[in-house]
Amino acid sequence: MTPASPIARVSWREEFIPKSLTVLREGYSLRFLQADALAGLTVAIVALPLSMAIAIASGVGPERGLFTAIVGGFLVSLLGGSRFQVGGPAGAFIILIAACVMQTGFSGLALATFLSGFMLVALGLLRLGSYIRFIPYPVTVGFTAGIGVIIFASQIKDLFGLTLTGPEPGAFIAKLETMWHARDSFTPAALAVTVGTIVLIEAIKRFLPRLPGMLIGVTVAAIVAALLGLPVETIHSRFGDLPRILPAPALPHLSMDAITEALPWAISFTLLGAIESLLSAIVADGMTGNQHRSNAELVAQGVANIGSALFGGFCVTGTIARTATNVRAGSHGPVSGMLHALFVLAFMMVAAPLAGYIPLAALAGVLAIVAWNMIEKDEFKALMRSSRGDAMVLLVTFALVVFRDLTEGIIVGFALGGLVFIRHMSEMTRIEAHSPAEGEMPPDPQGRDVVVYRLRGAMFFGAVARLGTVLDRIAQRPRAVVVDFSNVPLVDSTGARMVVTLAQKMRRRGAQLYVTGAAIEIRRALHAQGLHEPLALFLPDVATAVATVTPDSDESPKG
């Protein structure tokens, strides 16, 4: 057996080396630490209100969001394959987590997060990270837009200060109906806090973009609500005091019944977490020119989810907003992400009591902005105008995410995107009657005893039906058919079987099939389906094939 090359061995090892170790190998100085500390602090300021808001919207206590940001965020940066990725709770998970908590309680959510971590590690170790990135663009735009709509819908209750007589439904239409029936409990002060928070955050973003608009927005809202004694719900009034330290690590409840109940949620978390984290890593690559290691990133995401579940948190993934903030703040590498987690921990230890004054309406305003930013308006419009296929994939994904289920939307959208691609590829594959160059085709005294066809494009299962109809119409009279494969980049087993069937039909009537211009990969695919000589003769080009069929142009072929 030939040993694996040193290059292959190195690439395998390098593929799973965390970027934090790569940065240390390059040399790490005090200047880099200062840059990372500033970037980490900036990201922590953004993460603080977001982590609590996402946790509350997901149906769990705000402290769970902080636990997730601290433990998960630290592990993602420590072990991840992206130099600038920042992990933590993500808005994309709100709907799934809320539904999981409603069905299984927090213990079920912790177990699903725990199981999802092992699944993500397995995906990384199986080197499936590069395949997860093959999600059609209309699917990503459709599902992020759908998530944005659902996140906004989940905040209507706190935006308007409504009081519900029962639990809030998870389904979109049922949620809107419930909110409408609760309209008499509308609290004007809550709406005023929400609008004021949104206006302040957007004003800071426009005129003072370097300042942490979200943190300033919720802080000002908390101060105004407390000073004026506004009748709005706060973190303290709903959830009580926030803890100042991380809980002791503890395994989720493990039993066969619990695992069976949590497993579907774990699969959904794994699918969405893998997609979201790798999309975020790609965004960071585009901003910095670096290249992330997708499989190492999946392993890190898996370990982070396991750690988060052990410390009372929930699903962790790479977050695009915090990652982009990290890059813009001048991060040098993963240390900034680790420091961001430590800054959040420091806040929890020192200022947790102050967070109790934050109005829930202010956090709802923060998530309303997040939801609006998640909807890629320009990209949505462009895809609607691009082609009917892309528009169909976009709208179906969007509708399923909003009205049915997030995972179902991704899977169906991916399948539709694949069908659209197959149709486009099959339309590009064609067969043409060959027009020979002067002198290439010798005169044939008995008519066209030799016919030549050129194939163009991939010869795969999607194109076989159309090509097969054409090949079946080939005249029965020719004693030789030359099929040129010079412009065929791919032949799958279905396409190869079609060629074998053609050769067998010709053989039964005493005719011969010639295959020309086939690359070694094409020949291998044809051989695998049983196309060997003399069933078909393989020649380098059309001219050689024609000369082989008619060696002497003055001699009439025998019937």
Side-chain angles (χ1 to χ4, degrees), residues 3-4 44 69 73 78 119-120 199 216 270 278 315-316 335 351 375 426 435 530 549:
L78 175 66
M119 293 179 187
L120 285 166
V199 169
I216 293 175
T270 301
L278 294 184
C315 305
V316 179
V335 174
I375 302 174
S426 64
S435 299
V549 177

Side-chain angles (χ1 to χ4, degrees), residues 178-190:
T178 301
M179 299 304 162
W180 177 251
H181 292 318
R183 63 188 182 277
D184 292 337
S185 63
F186 165 61
T187 306

Side-chain angles (χ1 to χ4, degrees), residues 517-536:
I520 185 64
E521 296 82 3
I522 306 298
R523 288 194 184 197
R524 190 178 295 119
L526 295 173
H527 290 333
Q529 294 301 315
L531 191 67
H532 300 284
E533 297 184 358
L535 185 59

Side-chain angles (χ1 to χ4, degrees), residues 210-545:
R210 292 186 176 276
L211 296 182
M214 289 186 178
L215 184 62
I216 293 175
V218 297
T219 301
V220 171
I223 293 172
V224 171
L227 291 178
L228 299 181
L230 297 179
V232 293
E233 231 183 338
T234 64
I235 288 179
H236 182 271
S237 66
R238 182 182 293 185
F239 300 102
D241 294 331
L242 294 181
R244 294 193 175 193
I245 59 173
L246 285 172
L251 279 172
H253 173 65
L254 296 172
S255 70
M256 188 54 64
D257 289 341
I259 291 174
T260 302
E261 188 178 28
L263 192 59
W265 298 107
I267 294 173
S268 297
F269 294 160
T270 301
L271 176 63
L272 181 57
I275 295 171
E276 185 80 4
S277 63
L278 294 184
L279 282 177
S280 178
I282 291 171
V283 169
D285 290 347
M287 296 177 69
T288 62
N290 280 270
Q291 183 68 38
H292 75 279
R293 298 167 184 150
S294 56
N295 295 313
E297 186 62 28
L298 288 180
V299 171
Q301 297 288 338
V303 174
N305 275 275
I306 294 170
S308 177
L310 293 176
F311 282 90
F314 52 89
C315 305
V316 179
T317 189
T319 56
I320 295 176
R322 273 158 274 176
T323 299
T325 301
N326 190 38
V327 173
R328 295 192 190 103
S331 168
H332 176 70
V335 174
S336 63
M338 291 184 270
L339 290 176
H340 126 269
L342 296 179
F343 284 129
V344 174
L345 175 61
F347 164 83
M348 189 175 73
M349 296 174 66
V350 175
L354 298 178
Y357 292 98
I358 297 176
L360 297 182
L363 293 180
V366 169
L367 284 183
I369 294 174
V370 170
W372 176 255
N373 291 336
M374 287 187 73
I375 302 174
E376 300 172 280
K377 279 88 53 190
D378 293 337
E379 290 81 355
F380 201 103
K381 294 176 185 176
L383 285 170
M384 289 297 296
R385 294 191 299 262
S386 63
S387 70
R388 284 186 297 178
D390 285 342
M392 177 188 68
V393 174
L394 172 69
L395 291 177
V396 169
T397 304
F398 175 77
L400 286 175
V401 168
V402 173
F403 297 105
R404 289 282 298 174
D405 176 73
L406 181 64
T407 306
E408 185 176 329
I410 295 174
I411 293 174
V412 173
F414 185 84
L416 281 178
L419 291 176
V420 170
F421 172 76
I422 290 170
R423 190 194 70 183
H424 289 332
M425 289 296 294
S426 64
E427 290 172 350
M428 293 175 63
T429 304
R430 58 188 186 276
I431 184 169
E432 303 169 344
H434 176 54
S435 299
E438 185 176 354
E440 185 179 51
M441 182 75 79
D444 186 351
Q446 299 213 3
R448 291 301 301 272
D449 223 19
V450 180
V451 293
V452 179
Y453 288 90
R454 286 194 187 278
L455 289 172
R456 297 183 184 276
M459 196 172 182
F460 70 115
F461 67 92
V464 159
R466 211 159 48 85
L467 293 180
T469 302
V470 175
L471 291 175
D472 283 342
R473 291 202 303 262
I474 292 177
Q476 298 296 310
R477 185 173 177 277
R479 62 187 174 90
V481 173
V482 180
V483 181
D484 183 58
F485 280 76
S486 299
N487 295 302
V488 177
L490 168 72
V491 173
D492 71 355
S493 57
T494 308
R497 193 64 213 169
M498 182 187 69
V499 179
V500 172
T501 302
L502 173 65
Q504 290 170 341
K505 288 180 180 178
M506 296 183 62
R507 192 73 174 173
R508 283 195 292 269
R509 63 181 178 80
Q512 181 66 55
L513 175 67
Y514 292 83
V515 174
T516 64
I520 185 64
E521 296 82 3
I522 306 298
R523 288 194 184 197
R524 190 178 295 119
L526 295 173
H527 290 333
Q529 294 301 315
L531 191 67
H532 300 284
E533 297 184 358
L535 185 59
L537 299 180
F538 291 84
L539 296 171
D541 51 52
V542 172
T544 304

Side-chain angles (χ1 to χ4, degrees), residues 65-123:
L66 297 177
F67 299 160
T68 304
I70 294 167
V71 179
F74 187 87
L75 291 174
V76 165
S77 295
L78 175 66
L79 303 174
S82 172
R83 186 165 184 142
F84 301 99
Q85 180 93 285
V86 176
F93 280 86
I94 287 175
I95 309 307
L96 280 177
I97 295 173
C100 179
V101 170
M102 190 175 298
Q103 179 178 322
T104 67
F106 183 77
S107 61
L109 171 62
L111 180 56
T113 302
F114 189 70
L115 296 176
S116 172
F118 286 101
M119 293 179 187
L120 285 166
V121 170
L123 288 180

